[in-house]
Amino acid sequence: MRERAVQRQDRLLSLVRRRGSARVTDLADQLGVSPVTVRRDVEALTGRGLLDRVHGSVSWPRRRDRPGGGRGPDAEDLVLGLLAPSATYYFADVIRGAHEAAAPAGARLVLRICDYRPAEDPARAAGLLAAGAEGLLVAPGWRGPGDQAAYSDWIAELPVPVVLLERSVPPGGPLAGLDRVCSDHTHGVLLALRHLTGQGHAAPLLVARADSPTALAVREGYAAALRALGVRGPRPVIGSVPADRDPEGFERAVQELRSAVSSGAATAALVHNDVDAIRMVQRLAELGVRVPRDLALVAYDDEVAALADTPLTAVAPPKREVGRQAARLLLERLRERAEGAGGGGTDRGMGGGAGVVPAAGAGSVPDADPAAEPAPRRHVTLLPTLRVRASCGAGAGTGGGATG
């Protein structure tokens, strides 16, 4: 298989970082490519500020390091790495938020995308480290229910501070002790169901995918939200799939929802995500089911819900704020590390060993000097809001913008 340019450039960066400087011809020999290819890569990398180039050789930029190997979090050109499963739709706002928090601190954000291929996450993270990242914001490319267990141990072994983005992990696992910032999707589902039941609808149906951590969290939150409202669930979740990838599966979901409406079993539904919700509304109209006349509908994500023919009421996770707070938390960890408070001679401020505590303790070290201990790890959970529009009856009796 032919090596991708980004992988080759990551290897090139790693070589230069280890050696400090290298001739282009030597790099070509070690990488097994032509000098012309290396020159092209060097031109791209120097243009992004990742390398310095002088007279046929390249060097690691001196401004990255201070004497003694330390640096402060406000130093010029501090690099934060961000590993995300996508740069579009949901994660576009997360990335923007992280950039907005990093820039005022003089930090530069470097991005790697894994396209929801969790097996490629370690290589992408290695690329970020080779590019000079001193801390990582990590949203693993987990997709199915078993991905977290199969593709998570590597995160705990990272040699730099790590903050998880929009990912929850079970207690006691290797990642449980890491900092993380995520949306409370159970609360988001509760907002939607409370709004619909408050309008007099019986237990709303849930139509949802099962191909992302957000989708799985929405499914889990559905049962919890019904219990919190004291509502008996109507019927199992209607499983949805992307219409462009599985037209027949998508049509089955539409027909199941139509049948529930036609039989009187349901008058309201929550649909994850926006794109599926818009397409379902269009297809239901072709089948004679009108929103909101026959079905009150709330979408989940609020990326494009407002652009539907009938603007869709939608749950809006605080995506941009997730990115902002995660980047600020990572900068704080880097500051602690630079000042000697975050490392303390241990790995507790990093990925490696971050989730491990002594068997006899509860996250504390016996007889440790309190003044030398790092700040506690944080699990920051942000609440979604509900943006009320026309698809659930124009929000009658709720005002125009319920937030819960």
Side-chain angles (χ1 to χ4, degrees), residues 86-130:
S86 170
T88 60
Y89 195 72
Y90 192 102
F91 274 94
D93 265 350
V94 176
I95 294 166
R96 290 188 192 101
H99 174 73
E100 290 167 357
R108 187 163 56 89
L109 199 66
V110 178
L111 183 66
R112 286 289 190 278
I113 305 298
C114 72
D115 295 318
Y116 286 98
R117 297 187 181 103
E120 297 185 6
D121 283 347
R124 296 288 174 264
L128 288 168
L129 296 177

Side-chain angles (χ1 to χ4, degrees), residues 229-256:
L229 294 170
V231 176
R232 178 178 294 180
R235 53 194 291 177
V237 174
I238 297 176
S240 181
V241 291
D244 53 349
R245 283 189 296 183
D246 187 354
E248 293 181 357
F250 181 79
E251 180 66 16
R252 284 194 297 271
V254 172
Q255 292 292 345
E256 190 173 347

Side-chain angles (χ1 to χ4, degrees), residues 7 10 83 112 114 117-130 136 138 140-142 150-159:
Q7 295 170 325
D10 286 344
L83 175 66
R112 286 289 190 278
C114 72
R117 297 187 181 103
E120 297 185 6
D121 283 347
R124 296 288 174 264
L128 288 168
L129 296 177
L136 297 183
V138 177
W142 303 330
Y151 304 105
S152 63
D153 288 352
W154 66 272
I155 302 173
E157 302 303 321
L158 288 167

Side-chain angles (χ1 to χ4, degrees), residues 16-66:
V16 177
R17 191 182 194 191
R18 288 199 303 269
R19 296 169 57 178
S21 64
R23 294 181 59 82
V24 168
T25 51
D26 293 340
L27 289 170
D29 289 340
Q30 293 188 51
L31 295 172
V33 296
S34 70
V36 172
T37 298
V38 172
R39 291 190 188 98
R40 188 183 304 121
D41 287 342
V42 165
E43 183 176 353
L45 294 168
T46 55
R48 289 158 51 193
L50 298 176
L51 292 175
D52 288 339
R53 177 176 55 182
V54 181
H55 304 305
S57 66
V58 293
S59 62
W60 195 251
R62 292 184 180 180
R63 64 182 177 276
R64 293 183 185 278
D65 301 303
R66 290 181 173 177

Side-chain angles (χ1 to χ4, degrees), residues 227-366:
R227 287 195 300 270
L229 294 170
V231 176
R232 178 178 294 180
R235 53 194 291 177
V237 174
I238 297 176
S240 181
V241 291
D244 53 349
R245 283 189 296 183
D246 187 354
E248 293 181 357
F250 181 79
E251 180 66 16
R252 284 194 297 271
V254 172
Q255 292 292 345
E256 190 173 347
L257 180 56
R258 172 184 175 270
S259 176
V261 174
S262 300
S263 67
T267 59
L270 171 64
V271 179
H272 177 274
N273 57 30
D274 286 6
V275 173
D276 289 359
I278 289 174
R279 287 175 168 165
M280 283 191 173
V281 169
Q282 294 170 345
R283 180 65 181 127
L284 287 170
E286 295 170 355
L287 298 171
V289 176
R290 303 285 179 175
V291 171
R293 184 192 67 188
D294 306 309
L295 177 70
L297 187 143
V298 177
Y300 201 99
D301 277 352
D302 202 34
E303 287 286 322
V304 293
L307 304 180
D309 289 348
T310 300
L312 304 181
T313 294
V315 176
K319 302 177 282 288
R320 187 170 294 202
E321 189 61 24
V322 166
R324 288 192 192 105
Q325 294 211 22
R328 289 170 186 155
L329 180 52
L330 182 57
L331 287 166
E332 182 179 333
R333 295 306 180 203
L334 289 171
R335 182 180 300 112
E336 292 174 348
R337 191 181 184 194
E339 294 172 352
T346 74
D347 286 335
R348 284 185 293 165
M350 306 182 189
V356 180
V357 297
S364 62
V365 180

